[in-house]
Amino acid sequence: MKPKCTMAVILTVALTLTAASAAAKTVKRVLLLPFAAYSESGQEALKERIASSLASQLGRSDRLAVIAPGVAPAVSEGSVAAEEALRLGTDTKAQYVILGSATQLGSTVSVDVTIISVDRQPVTQKIYASGTAGDGIEQLVARLARNISELILPEEKIAAVIIKGTQRIEEPNIRSALASTPGKMVSKEDIAADVKAIYKLGFFSDVTASTEEDSRGTIITFAVQEMPTITEILFEGNKNLDAKELKKVLTLQNRDIININLVRTNIESIKTLYEKEGYRNAQVSYKIDEGPNNSAVLRFTILESGKLYIKTISFEGNTAFTDEELKAMMETSEWTIFHLFTDSGVFKEETLQQDLQKITAFYHNNGYIDGKIGEPEVVSDAKWIYVSIPVTEGKQYRIGVVQIVGDTIDVPREELYKGLRITKKDYFNRQAIITDLDYLQEKCNDEGYAYAKATPEVNEIRHEQLVNVTYRIDKGEIIYINRITISGNTKTRDKVLRRMIPIVEGNITNRSKMKTSYMRLSQLRYFEEINFQSEQGPEKNLMDINIQVKEKATGMFSVGAGYSAIDHLIVMAQITQQNLFGRGQTLSLNASVGSSTQRYELSFVEPWLFDMPLWSKTDIWNNLKEYDSYDLDTKGIETILGYPLFEYVKGYVGYRYTVDNVNNIAETASKYIMDQEGQTISSGVTFSLVRDTTNDWMFPSEGSKNSMTVEHTGTIFQGDTSYTKYSANSSWFFPLPLGNIFAIRGRAGYIHGNEGKEVPVYERFYLGGINSLRGLRSVGPVDESGDVIGGKTMLLFNAELIVPLLKDAGMKGVVFYDTGNAWESGYHVD
């Protein structure tokens, strides 16, 4: 197909039809007599302008032959009587005579027109119009000409516009592009423009126009032929990018009507994708292969050319910082030998522009307030790309006097000064100012001034190279929370969300509490998105807060398998619902079966028992584990209650009842193990104190978690065992660039028997395995027979570097260092 050639033929046909139609119609002669003009000055100019302009406008119609005033017999100055006009019309064989007057008062021009029909005496019609002087006269005369034409040539008024040939394209899409509409006068210029406009829509291969008259006027018919429907999109010549990647950037799909405009847009998208991958000179063309039933295959042909890499990145004009220092901030980089594994050397325009913004911000944050980064010069040859970046540094400015002025709040000025970042900088730092503004506004917001503003005033002392900074506070009035609405929670009950947020209706607004609310809702892990929006309430000092959430699936079912040197093949299964019935409760069932281990556990968590912030958890389990010298079969139940004591601090108390059965003891086992053969009942309580500031309970990236626990069995709690166990844990997480996390952990433990009873062998401290000393097993004291019997004291330290491998899959890699041991007594760090 060659759409441009087709268009030329179409326009020729359309114009020919219009001209032929006009030639076959009767032309009406119109005598235009001189208008009388009334004005304080320039009457002749006004009269001449209106007469010539009206003659020109009426002469555009093929159906009117205008006899201009100069052609008509001489008439006296001033108005012409109707009898005289009729006589002049008869003498010139005109069917209509037009006469009138124009009056200008200031900037307003009004025109009275009389139209006399010579053939149908004494029929006269009058038209009045007004407008502004100057350029407005042309618009005024154009309106008059249209009204005159409608009266003289009623058959030339468009009665209807018909669209023929559409199948899938809706008519309103075509009509919105047309200048010819019912009620307007027929214009060959409009019809020609309409044909072009329809064609430019891009959906049609043929467009023609025709006209016919009936008793209502003129009917214009546009006949169109739609472009074919895409049945397949193919790519040719693409060796470095596969079809799947290319189709992702296309807006055209199968079953779409081919639109040439969109085809060209898609070509640019393909070129952009190639540029992002380093193929700057890729060329793309298209071809349409028509098939039966107005179908077609859209074929993109790609000439990829060679992949170009950045050879050098250089800077011009930089003296304060070296090229290497500036390049270190950029994501765009020069080609290196590792380009097969990284994006080194790949040129991306969008990335380069972001890099320029980083460098500009770096200069502004180091005192160079006039620092500018110019438009980079990017040149290439057959093999390499060369990037040159112009830099204008200017002078470096130090920080002078820093002041806080304006309204006062409850926080003393001295404390506000201590929290400023700019006072801790030697040189002017734009980012520090932005941070300070947010800090000051937050302090105001926390006291209820929700619309408080902090604005900076920067005074440059050029000759001293100093910058004085003044922060002006305008706190406004105190704003109260009117309503808090929650939407989007189709499953989760409102109270589950409301009990997590510290903001309350009727209280003053508080930005810190808003942040806390967002953090707590995020930690629930029930939602994909959480948005807080505030708007004006019913009164000026009231604010409505809208919390919009988007829920995600909270049920989880997983099946897995693993292998370890201890348990060999292990099969695991877990089913968990973290938001049971939308109440925020958690119910989970876990099972793992290996050659030496079987574990089954049912767990239920109620985070708000009795609608109080009283956390509760109940576990029921049945475990079977085979040790080297004995087997341990454990059944038990435990209930724990937790309550927040301070911010980030919770206290826990629990009761535990277990039945432990030591059996299948080896003949070579130690006497200590043999003495514990049989069933033993343990009954006791645990007390824990936990401080948790981590940002995620499952996969934290910052914050810390510290805890101390005391477990006591026997004595007043009865049972067959009696011991007290003390343990302490401390974990710290530090975010690093590129999503990496550094974590350190420490654990310590101590246990002793009570009432003269030995500590059960299975309650002692054993180290080894994935949760303590990785790569080792059963680390601790041994008895005379060589069996590991566990320690009464324990110390363990871990250091980890957690690296994201596949972010979408949640896969991480860990580089770790573990050290620790268990002893019969004491802590032997050596």
Side-chain angles (χ1 to χ4, degrees), residues 563-604:
Y563 182 86
S564 72
I566 299 175
D567 298 317
H568 302 293
L569 180 64
I570 305 172
V571 178
M572 298 160 286
Q574 178 182 20
I575 182 169
T576 303
Q577 175 52 257
Q578 295 177 334
N579 188 13
L580 188 65
F581 306 122
R583 298 175 179 270
Q585 302 163 335
T586 301
L587 180 66
S588 65
L589 176 63
N590 297 273
S592 62
V593 179
S595 60
S596 61
T597 303
Q598 294 182 23
R599 179 177 178 84
Y600 307 95
E601 182 178 22
L602 179 65
S603 177
F604 177 76

Side-chain angles (χ1 to χ4, degrees), residues 442-443 445-448 481 484 497-498 500-521 532 545 547 647-648:
E442 182 172 357
K443 290 299 182 183
N445 297 156
D446 288 348
E447 295 184 15
I481 299 174
I484 300 174
L497 282 77
R498 290 184 182 273
M500 300 302 296
I501 58 178
I503 54 176
V504 179
E505 293 172 348
N507 287 2
I508 63 172
T509 58
N510 186 297
R511 183 172 170 185
S512 295
K513 288 184 178 181
M514 291 276 280
K515 288 183 177 180
T516 302
S517 300
Y518 180 85
M519 181 187 70
R520 289 181 179 178
L521 293 181
F532 279 69
I545 297 175
I547 304 175
E647 186 176 12
Y648 306 122

